[in-house]
Amino acid sequence: MWMKMPTTINRKTNQKVANTNIFSIDSMNSLRNKMKRITVKNDDHLYYEGDKVDKLYYLIEGTITLYKSTEDGKVLTLNYYEADDLFGEYHANEMRGAMENAKAQGDSVIGIIDKEDIEMLIWQNRQFSLEFTKWISFTQQLTQTKLRDLMFFGKNGALASVIIRMTNTYGVQKGDVWEISKKFTHDEIACLIGTPRETVTRMLNQLKKDGLIDNQKGFITVYDLPGLRQICRCEACPLQVCRL
């Protein structure tokens, strides 16, 4: 059954980082009218690496993580998505499968849009077509900047970048201090930068010793955001790009 999506969204994140902000109200209404609403339980997967790519997903409530994994159990977390985010892969080649796994962190409510409906909106609506192109561009930039941080500035730069992205996504500003409202374990941070948990623990302790951050029971407080930006040579990307 096809249902119109509700306009009320439960948020845990900074509203400005939602990647659907580039869409107009009319375009978002057009998308919502095409969505099929489903509920995904905690730890359930929307799709796995290699699955057919023929849908996009709009997160109404909850958290979804995208990740890649290896046969020996290594995990690299690619993205966190929260309420009002649009995600999924849009390939021109229909034979190409998904390149990552999508997993729910907690019960989540999701609107599913078939690729055929997206293509119809692109064909019928010039404004939506332009905005959708921008959305794809932001998605690509997000991936490229994360690869840059991982490859060019070492583990310290990658960690500094991840904390900055946490601040943009979940941060609450109090003067010059940012409190990150979402709890992250050392294991979760390790998966974000592709390094052992022990290394993450050591680097977090050093950042704390240097006065840049504090970390209490998984909740990070940032005291020196410019100092973190200096470590990873921050390029002041748009919020839709500099996010988890």
Side-chain angles (χ1 to χ4, degrees), residues 5-244:
M5 295 294 103
T7 56
T8 301
I9 293 174
N10 296 324
R11 297 184 184 278
K12 293 188 298 184
T13 57
N14 177 357
Q15 183 175 351
K16 293 180 181 179
V17 305
N19 66 14
T20 54
N21 282 336
I22 61 175
F23 290 100
S24 66
I25 294 176
D26 288 343
S27 293
M28 284 306 304
N29 286 336
S30 295
L31 274 176
R32 291 189 179 100
N33 288 334
K34 299 293 185 181
M35 293 178 190
K36 178 182 179 181
R37 177 173 175 160
I38 65 168
T39 299
V40 182
K41 297 297 183 181
N42 181 43
D43 286 337
D44 283 353
H45 282 75
L46 277 172
Y47 55 85
Y48 291 93
E49 193 170 348
D51 284 354
K52 183 179 180 180
V53 178
D54 60 357
K55 298 175 179 64
L56 291 180
Y57 303 88
Y58 175 74
L59 189 51
I60 301 167
E61 183 177 334
T63 303
I64 299 290
T65 57
L66 266 58
Y67 70 94
K68 293 184 72 69
S69 60
T70 61
E71 293 182 357
D72 60 356
K74 294 180 181 178
V75 173
L76 178 64
T77 303
L78 303 174
N79 300 100
Y80 279 74
Y81 289 108
E82 301 284 356
D84 210 18
D85 279 332
L86 183 69
F87 65 96
E89 298 182 36
Y90 191 84
H91 297 320
N93 183 0
E94 295 183 357
M95 300 300 293
R96 183 177 178 181
M99 299 183 66
E100 74 278 315
N101 309 282
K103 180 181 178 180
Q105 282 197 343
D107 294 350
S108 300
V109 182
I110 297 166
I112 298 178
I113 315 110
D114 287 334
K115 183 178 178 181
E116 292 179 355
D117 290 322
I118 293 288
E119 291 176 346
M120 183 61 68
L121 287 173
I122 291 172
W123 181 70
Q124 291 177 336
N125 189 322
R126 182 175 179 271
Q127 180 180 4
F128 178 85
S129 177
L130 292 172
E131 292 166 354
F132 188 73
T133 301
K134 291 179 182 178
W135 175 80
I136 291 177
S137 176
F138 273 129
T139 301
Q140 292 173 339
Q141 289 179 57
L142 178 58
T143 301
Q144 290 167 358
T145 55
K146 286 189 174 184
L147 287 174
R148 175 202 64 196
D149 296 338
L150 286 170
M151 297 296 294
F152 292 158
F153 303 115
K155 299 303 182 183
N156 287 325
L159 178 59
S161 172
V162 161
I163 296 174
I164 292 169
R165 293 173 188 273
M166 289 178 182
T167 302
N168 289 337
T169 309
Y170 300 103
V172 178
Q173 187 174 12
K174 297 182 178 180
D176 293 331
V177 175
W178 288 83
E179 296 179 355
I180 297 172
S181 61
K182 183 178 176 66
K183 181 178 180 179
F184 287 90
T185 67
H186 290 194
D187 284 324
E188 288 172 324
I189 297 173
C191 289
L192 281 163
I193 64 176
T195 198
R197 178 183 59 81
E198 294 79 7
T199 303
V200 168
T201 300
R202 187 183 72 251
M203 291 192 297
L204 286 173
N205 287 337
Q206 186 61 51
L207 291 176
K208 182 177 179 179
K209 182 179 179 180
D210 293 340
L212 299 177
I213 69 165
D214 192 14
N215 184 23
Q216 297 293 334
K217 297 182 180 180
F219 290 96
I220 295 175
T221 300
V222 176
Y223 293 117
D224 188 355
L225 191 57
L228 291 175
R229 288 173 172 162
Q230 187 174 4
I231 292 173
C232 64
R233 308 294 192 272
C234 178
E235 297 179 358
C237 298
L239 285 178
Q240 289 85 357
V241 174
C242 189
R243 52 163 290 171
L244 286 185

